[in-house]
Amino acid sequence: MAVTLNDIAKKAGVSLATVSLALNGSNKVNKDTKNRIKKIAEELNYVPNARARALVKKSTKTIGLVIPEVVNPFFAELAQSIKDYVRSQDFNVILCSTDYQSEEELRYINMFRSGQVDGAIFACAGDLMAEHNDLIIKLVKENIPVVYVDRDGLNHDLIPIVKSDIYHAAYQAADYLISLGHKNLGFIGQSVERLSGVKSALKNQGLEIKEKNIYYDYLKMEGGYAAGEKIAARDEKPEAVVCLNDEMAIGVIQALIAKDVKVPEEISVVGIDNIKMANFYNPSLTTVNIPVSKMGEKAAEILMKKITGKTLSPKEKFFIFPTKLVIRDSTRKI
Amino acid sequence: MAVTLNDIAKKAGVSLATVSLALNGSNKVNKDTKNRIKKIAEELNYVPNARARALVKKSTKTIGLVIPEVVNPFFAELAQSIKDYVRSQDFNVILCSTDYQSEEELRYINMFRSGQVDGAIFACAGDLMAEHNDLIIKLVKENIPVVYVDRDGLNHDLIPIVKSDIYHAAYQAADYLISLGHKNLGFIGQSVERLSGVKSALKNQGLEIKEKNIYYDYLKMEGGYAAGEKIAARDEKPEAVVCLNDEMAIGVIQALIAKDVKVPEEISVVGIDNIKMANFYNPSLTTVNIPVSKMGEKAAEILMKKITGKTLSPKEKFFIFPTKLVIRDSTRKI
DNA sequence: GCCCTCTTTTAAAACGTTTAAGTTCATTTT
DNA sequence: AAAATGAACTTAAACGTTTTAAAAGAGGGC
């Protein structure tokens, strides 16, 4: 059905090889024949068969992007920026969301091994995925380059990592709250790294976090809401809370407001990420900016370098982005 | 480097065909040899080459999903639901966001023609993309099935369409505002279909929309914010506004609040879509639910039917989902 | 007319599968 | 004992490119 090189060859009265060479712009074929062939290809509405080409070129011009979910502004922005970069190099991205399921990630790893992609980016998947690190290293050894985004791996030579200083982000958030005069802080979410950032900011001022002010809720808005409800129900509340991310922060605020606890008058709330909504929420959200678009772009750039066989600078093997406090209306001075 | 059927064949002392048959579970090969072959394949860590398989099977087990942007809760949810469905059939999705650029869509159409996907879904792209409808029809005739989601096409036999009754959604929104006692309505966004829904709800009550209450701003939060600022600056404001989508509604509310115009006390605002944030915003947003996940799933289901050569019922060629008013706190009775 | 060189074209292998059409050999049928 | 059947396996073509090595042709110099 579809037009092939052979069809063009017959019509042009030349061999298939000449057609291939001509269409790929080889300078070994006569200019006139080249033009004639191109014209015929145009007429016949020829499109090279990507599947056949992939087989011989050993490349699909496609990368895999593994993220927990697209329905999450942070990952959506990451996906967008990665897609934008690779598209500029004529690559495509296969969307691989795992929904935080370990088996799903496994399925993707196996798919990658089959050569359906030329490389892959794995973004922050939580600790449960750590068990796959060995498999991913195997993948890399089988010549499918991988780069990590905000995910811990041991072997930066094999798997470059692009990350933000998430520990420092939490530190900045807590430190700012302390500077506003808050002493009794809370933390919402499960993240060892962030929690320890908060703790060390407190420690620097001779303060501590109370165990009962730590809420290990689910890392989405619903989780934040649940934590907010529990806080609202307490007599003696924390004065300010740091949330794992902006979505949780919004959930917390929404729950507090629903229970008539005023933000920031009664409790200051700060998020992490600086998603777009942080600026449009009411009250607008004080947060720590994570330059996710830049991170995505850098990760894509590094991956493309690996795919095209370029060598990486040491810095590119462990690329860390700074974070920045963004002050808005969900926090106030005591 | 990578293990092939041939390697296994040699090691097992059989022909390559037998190996292929055995691994694909054919019952034409002796049980013992089958097991022996499978064991060897396992030992050698064999993974079938997806590129080679794609060539002979004329299928990549991949579909393309064309959306304007991922960074948009509506499309993110659409993408997620589509991905979930096709994944259950062992397919993958290539993320094709156009950023509302017509040329980008064109590039994707050409990529699809090259056989890199087995089918594609095109989601609501606005009127500027209409020029591609003919090309997309050509694509379908070249045996790449397509289904539209909330996008107008003429030929439902060739291109099935899954949509929500967006006209009715706007009608419901306006009708509800009228029932609350509002007479002087506004509309924000560019959408012929939605605007006419609003107009006809008004007409039914002998009312009309004033031209100066229509704001043709850009369909994102920033656009909503811009419109909200303009409204806040007016002396005689509309009593209530219908927004093209929830994001715009949030932008409008944020601008109004920033200018000390109370929502809903002074102006009622209603959105369309019912994104997750609508429920978590403050005030929570009255909106009209568009069942985007269901739409995505249905579109994926229909596309898979076409890919696997099943015939569609007439209903599936034009599948329309009902919308539903969701009353929250951004509207109030006069 | 012959040898060289240079340009242009072609044949054929390769990529790694799937699968239709054999072949072989043991077993059953007549 | 010859013929038919059937199970188990193999051969080889096919998928549509790319690419290398070889062939063919065109001039040029002697």
Side-chain angles (χ1 to χ4, degrees), chain B residues 245-266:
Chain B
N245 61 25
D246 289 348
E247 288 209 287
M248 290 199 85
I250 287 172
V252 168
I253 295 177
Q254 175 75 345
L256 290 174
I257 290 176
K259 303 281 180 191
D260 267 327
V261 178
K262 301 238 179 325
V263 176
E265 291 77 3
E266 296 175 61

Side-chain angles (χ1 to χ4, degrees), chain B residues 240-283:
Chain B
V241 294
V242 175
C243 302
L244 180 136
N245 61 25
D246 289 348
E247 288 209 287
M248 290 199 85
I250 287 172
V252 168
I253 295 177
Q254 175 75 345
L256 290 174
I257 290 176
K259 303 281 180 191
D260 267 327
V261 178
K262 301 238 179 325
V263 176
E265 291 77 3
E266 296 175 61
I267 298 189
S268 286
V269 176
V270 24
I272 293 178
D273 277 355
N274 194 24
I275 61 176
K276 201 171 154 199
M277 186 54 72
N279 191 33
F280 283 89
Y281 198 68
N282 179 33

